[in-house]
Amino acid sequence: MRRMATPIVTGLLGALLATTAQAENLRMSWWGGDARHAQTQAALDYCGPKLGHTVAAEFTGWSGHQERITTQIAGRTEADIMQINWPWLPLFSADGSGFVDLRAHADVLDLSQFSDAQLAGGEMNGVLNGIPVSTTGRVYMFNKTTFDKAGLAVPTTWDEVIAAAPVLREKLGADVYPFEAAGLNAIFLVSMAVTQATGKDLIDPATNTVAWTPEELLEGIRFYQSLVEAGAIRDWRQVAGEGNIELFEMRAWAEGKIAGTYEWDSAYAKYADPLGASQELVPVKMLQIDGAVTEATYAKPSMLFSISRNSKAPKAAAEVINCLLNDPEAIEILSDSRGVPASKVAFDRLSEKDLINPNVAAANGIVLAGTGPVVSSFNEHPRVREAFADYLENIAYGQISAEDAAEGIIDDINRALRQFQ
Amino acid sequence: MESRYLGLAYLAPYIIGLLVFTMIPFLGSLYLSFTDYNLINAPVWSGLANFTDLTTDRTFKRSLNVTLLYVFLTVPIKLAFALLIAVILNYRLRAIGFFRTAYYVPSILGGSIAVAVLWRYIFADAGLVNLVLTSIGLEPVNWFGDPVNALFTITLLRTWQFGSAMVIFLAALQAVDKSLYEAAAIEGAGKWASFWHITLPLITPVIFFNLIMQMVQAFQEFNGPYVITGGGPLKSTYLLPLYIYDEAFKNFNMGYASAIAWVLFIIIMVLTVVAFWSSKKWVYYAGDKRS
């Protein structure tokens, strides 16, 4: 009996070791707001001991995170597990070799919880470089409390946004605005207007050049200018007066004086938290310009979890990712801190336990139900963003005409993307 | 250990640090400035391409102009302010030790991110400065939204960190021979004449030292504009170190960023050489025979 037991125990241990990594010291990096930081740390406190690993947390705000990751990757000091933004994939891993192939660790990472389409979003050159945490998109969110105070309904059309501006000023004060769009949001707003009017994304996927004509882009810029002129949004100069900070960090936002924005659905908590319990932030369906041919929903795979190609313990890292995305306990801890989860088991668990914030679920529902052309990742290429932002800022400061800016934006973006054409 | 090696042993930590953290990156950046390097793949030799590209780069020209303006504004203002405070603190006042410490503290804290964030809140539209202005009946100022004001605000932050220059000035003021002032007083010289004709000439070596140090530091300013304005508006605070940073870590163009860094280094070197050359005409050392 004893003779038989030894090989059986040895065999079982061997099988166990073959699929389970040894205790490892890992690092995980991500960006986010306070809620995400706290929930992710709590989830790691659960997953680490459960798997027998220690996981050091490295988290920052969004601003500067890409530069930090870039520096770490260049110096091969990046964390084992990284939260990666979808548009970064072609920058860090053009041929698919920039991150670990997650399919190589499918024995510990349950990929069956994700659809083929979701996994395709994390592939580069056929290699699964990242596992999508959620699908995200830009959604309009309004501070319902502010509109209630002024006796207004939350806007569902641009005409209502424009009509709300004088009412808010009159009833709540001269420094109250129904919406905010400068910097990045100005780019999104102009893009939304052009895409709604034309049905085309900024980038033509067949040629990787700008799909819009200067005239089409000009109309989008004019739409943005009309919002400024109507007092529906603060002008660029006013927003710059706040310094280099994001909207959710501004006092005007926290006090409900800026009552609307166009943000990622997964960032709902980041914008809702500063409002406190006394104010309610609600997502609304895509606002449309007159004559829109599509909603122009800007949807994309949200952040991905990737494993460093320099990680000494990729299997252990894959185990931790699996725990974060598919373990019932970790799912509940993380909840909707990264939006509505892409993992089926996570979505079912959170829905069953009623743990998805109804507003986050509603925001994600708007994104998933939205219509519009496929969004090219080049929309978020740093040079594309820079060209767009520089010209829009120059218009706002009266340095250039909208006509010249439309021509300039297209020329500069085409120049920036020449290497991909 | 033999005594001749003991000194080297003491120096070793500094020398190793200098080699690893300064010299190797310094020479590495020189090599990279002649390459096309995206941080992910190996550098590819591109000769002088990065430097020739700079000649047609509008952003570089704009950033260089802003940097020069910033340096030529900041350095004189900061030196004048540091000297003024040093002169005041050179008098025998009550609690002078406390005041000297208090004025020095900002130079320790001033370069930090936390103070830059504080600066951002102080000068924001609804910040402390505008609160004070409106309370005395003045119009609030858009400090960050106006290109001219934005650069001025960044300049103020650097000027506020006058402590280290002030301490060096204070040491120099205390080293001035008191008998010279007594002799001047006997001849009927007032305080202003004594300062102008005795103090200032005798501390010119220290003014020269502070000038070089502050100029080099100002050319490398990064934290202030990065945190407070992000280089805006209209790139009015987009100093060259920000451009280097963006090219290197946002646009994955480390070769080009290295080329800009070397151009910045050459500019600093040229201005330093000019300062040394001009010092023969205005810096007076002990035993100088010039009248």
Side-chain angles (χ1 to χ4, degrees):
Chain A
M1 184 69 191
R2 201 172 164 186
R3 274 187 197 166
M4 283 177 67
T6 308
I8 290 171
V9 170
T10 310
L12 284 172
L13 279 173
L16 194 67
L17 286 172
T19 53
T20 310
Q22 294 175 322
E24 301 285 356
N25 293 317
L26 301 169
R27 291 157 55 213
M28 176 174 172
S29 67
W30 70 87
W31 75 85
D34 290 343
R36 184 182 295 169
H37 296 331
Q39 285 166 275
T40 309
Q41 282 179 289
L44 290 177
D45 287 344
Y46 163 76
C47 289
K50 182 185 176 184
L51 298 165
H53 308 310
T54 55
V55 190
E58 300 174 7
F59 50 89
T60 68
W62 163 254
S63 181
H65 193 82
Q66 185 191 348
E67 294 90 311
R68 177 187 159 89
I69 291 278
T70 308
T71 315
Q72 288 181 328
I73 289 176
R76 299 180 183 182
T77 59
E78 70 272 25
D80 299 273
I81 304 165
M82 287 174 281
Q83 179 178 301
I84 295 293
N85 196 20
W86 174 64
W88 299 351
L89 274 185
L91 301 173
F92 291 131
S93 183
D95 61 357
S97 67
F99 299 107
V100 162
D101 180 4
L102 295 176
R103 285 204 176 86
H105 299 289
D107 52 336
V108 293
L109 178 55
D110 184 3
L111 298 176
S112 68
Q113 299 301 330
F114 302 87
S115 68
D116 289 345
Q118 286 170 328
L119 294 178
E123 284 183 2
M124 286 303 298
N125 201 24
V127 181
L128 186 62
N129 275 173
I131 191 158
V133 181
S134 57
T135 299
T136 192
R138 222 66 188 182
V139 175
Y140 294 97
M141 301 177 191
F142 288 99
N143 186 330
K144 184 172 181 295
T145 313
T146 298
F147 284 91
D148 285 347
K149 280 182 195 166
L152 295 168
V154 170
T156 53
T157 65
W158 282 114
D159 286 341
E160 288 175 12
V161 173
I162 291 169
V167 180
L168 290 175
R169 272 199 300 276
E170 185 193 331
K171 296 196 173 174
L172 303 179
D175 54 349
V176 181
Y177 292 81
F179 201 67
E180 173 92 318
L184 183 58
N185 258 351
I187 298 173
F188 274 117
L189 217 54
V190 171
S191 298
M192 180 275 309
V194 183
T195 303
Q196 283 188 352
T198 64
K200 295 182 287 187
D201 181 46
L202 167 66
I203 307 296
D204 177 353
T207 59
N208 282 340
T209 56
V210 176
W212 304 335
T213 65
E215 293 73 25
E216 289 167 345
L217 177 53
L218 181 60
E219 286 308 308
I221 294 171
R222 287 200 171 129
F223 167 74
Y224 174 77
Q225 288 177 309
S226 72
L227 293 179
V228 178
E229 285 157 12
I233 56 177
R234 297 191 293 176
D235 74 21
W236 201 297
R237 197 181 290 252
Q238 263 181 297
V239 179
E242 301 268 8
N244 184 27
I245 58 174
E246 294 194 60
L247 177 62
F248 68 90
E249 297 174 299
M250 293 180 190
R251 187 199 277 185
W253 173 260
E255 292 176 347
K257 291 180 176 177
I258 305 295
T261 186
Y262 184 45
E263 257 305 327
W264 302 116
D265 65 329
S266 53
Y268 175 84
K270 194 161 73 172
Y271 284 82
D273 287 353
L275 301 179
S278 61
Q279 298 179 79
E280 187 185 2
L281 185 69
V282 294
V284 301
K285 287 183 77 174
M286 289 295 290
L287 305 182
Q288 294 185 46
I289 60 167
D290 290 339
V293 297
T294 171
E295 287 184 335
T297 306
Y298 191 99
K300 63 171 191 175
S302 177
M303 61 213 62
L304 311 153
F305 282 159
S306 296
I307 298 176
S308 160
R309 66 175 172 181
N310 299 309
S311 174
K312 291 187 175 65
K315 186 174 282 292
E319 285 180 347
V320 173
I321 292 178
N322 187 61
C323 178
L324 292 173
L325 298 181
N326 298 325
D327 182 280
E329 190 76 22
I331 288 167
E332 287 187 26
I333 298 170
L334 281 177
S335 187
D336 56 3
S337 59
R338 285 178 173 78
V340 176
S343 158
K344 284 190 211 87
V345 65
F347 180 80
D348 291 345
R349 180 87 179 181
L350 293 183
S351 302
E352 180 190 315
K353 295 263 180 178
D354 209 17
L355 285 173
I356 301 178
N357 179 312
N359 283 317
V360 174
N364 191 248
I366 291 166
V367 172
L368 295 178
T371 60
V374 174
V375 175
S376 164
S377 63
F378 287 121
N379 277 274
E380 298 185 34
H381 190 281
R383 297 267 189 217
V384 173
R385 282 273 167 83
E386 184 185 352
F388 225 133
D390 282 354
Y391 279 103
L392 291 183
E393 186 183 33
N394 273 282
I395 297 172
Y397 277 82
Q399 303 290 308
I400 190 172
S401 69
E403 289 81 359
D404 288 344
E407 299 266 3
I409 289 169
I410 291 172
D411 287 348
D412 281 12
I413 292 176
N414 281 335
R415 198 174 303 122
L417 296 182
R418 196 164 289 157
Q419 58 178 307
F420 304 104
Q421 290 160 8
Chain B
M1 186 183 286
E2 285 183 43
S3 60
R4 60 179 171 156
Y5 295 121
L6 192 61
L8 275 178
Y10 282 127
L11 283 173
Y14 175 77
I15 292 172
I16 291 168
L18 182 74
L19 285 174
V20 174
F21 297 113
T22 305
M23 285 313 294
I24 292 175
F26 182 75
L27 295 174
S29 73
L30 179 61
Y31 164 69
L32 290 177
S33 69
F34 296 103
T35 66
D36 186 3
Y37 177 41
N38 67 2
L39 286 165
I40 308 297
N41 301 315
V44 178
W45 184 261
S46 61
L48 290 170
N50 289 326
F51 292 95
T52 51
D53 286 351
L54 280 175
T55 59
T56 55
D57 182 348
R58 282 176 300 171
T59 306
F60 171 73
K61 285 176 189 165
R62 169 81 171 139
S63 186
L64 178 61
N65 287 338
V66 168
T67 307
L68 291 172
L69 180 60
Y70 170 78
V71 171
F72 291 134
L73 266 176
T74 303
V75 175
I77 293 174
K78 185 173 175 181
L79 288 183
F81 197 64
L83 182 56
L84 173 70
I85 300 296
V87 169
I88 294 169
L89 294 182
N90 197 32
Y91 286 104
R92 287 181 188 164
L93 304 171
R94 287 183 68 183
I96 193 69
F98 168 77
F99 285 115
R100 284 174 184 170
T101 307
Y103 281 113
Y104 184 64
V105 165
S107 70
I108 301 169
L109 302 173
S112 71
I113 295 294
V115 171
V117 171
L118 177 70
W119 213 254
R120 194 171 66 191
Y121 282 107
I122 289 174
F123 284 91
D125 260 358
L128 182 65
V129 174
N130 277 344
L131 203 66
V132 171
L133 289 177
T134 48
S135 70
I136 57 174
L138 296 173
E139 284 291 311
V141 176
N142 189 343
W143 295 102
F144 302 138
D146 181 273
V148 175
N149 292 344
L151 187 65
F152 176 68
T153 313
I154 304 295
T155 300
L156 270 185
L157 174 60
R158 173 59 75 170
T159 306
W160 183 65
Q161 304 158 40
F162 62 87
S164 58
M166 183 269 292
V167 165
I168 296 169
F169 277 136
L170 192 58
L173 290 172
Q174 293 183 346
V176 176
D177 189 347
K178 301 287 181 292
S179 65
L180 294 171
Y181 294 117
E182 290 162 9
I186 291 167
E187 295 292 333
K191 286 198 171 172
W192 176 247
S194 292
F195 176 78
W196 194 252
H197 296 291
I198 297 171
T199 310
L200 215 50
L202 287 175
I203 65 167
T204 47
V206 171
I207 295 174
F208 177 60
F209 172 79
N210 271 338
L211 171 70
I212 299 291
M213 297 303 290
Q214 296 305 325
M215 185 178 72
V216 172
Q217 281 178 22
F219 268 113
Q220 296 176 41
E221 176 64 60
F222 179 84
N223 286 353
Y226 178 75
V227 172
I228 297 170
T229 60
L234 292 175
K235 298 209 181 315
S236 60
T237 57
Y238 198 56
L239 305 183
L240 277 176
L242 265 74
Y243 190 34
I244 293 169
Y245 175 80
D246 281 351
E247 281 299 315
F249 301 111
K250 277 189 179 167
N251 296 325
F252 298 85
N253 211 351
M254 184 57 93
Y256 195 61
S258 299
I260 302 169
W262 270 86
V263 170
L264 181 62
F265 172 72
I266 290 165
I267 290 168
I268 295 173
M269 280 300 293
V270 168
L271 287 175
T272 306
V273 168
V274 169
F276 267 94
W277 170 79
S278 74
S279 71
K280 292 173 190 162
K281 300 186 185 303
W282 61 274
V283 177
Y284 297 88
Y285 294 98
D288 199 324
K289 296 283 192 256
R290 282 175 287 182
S291 56

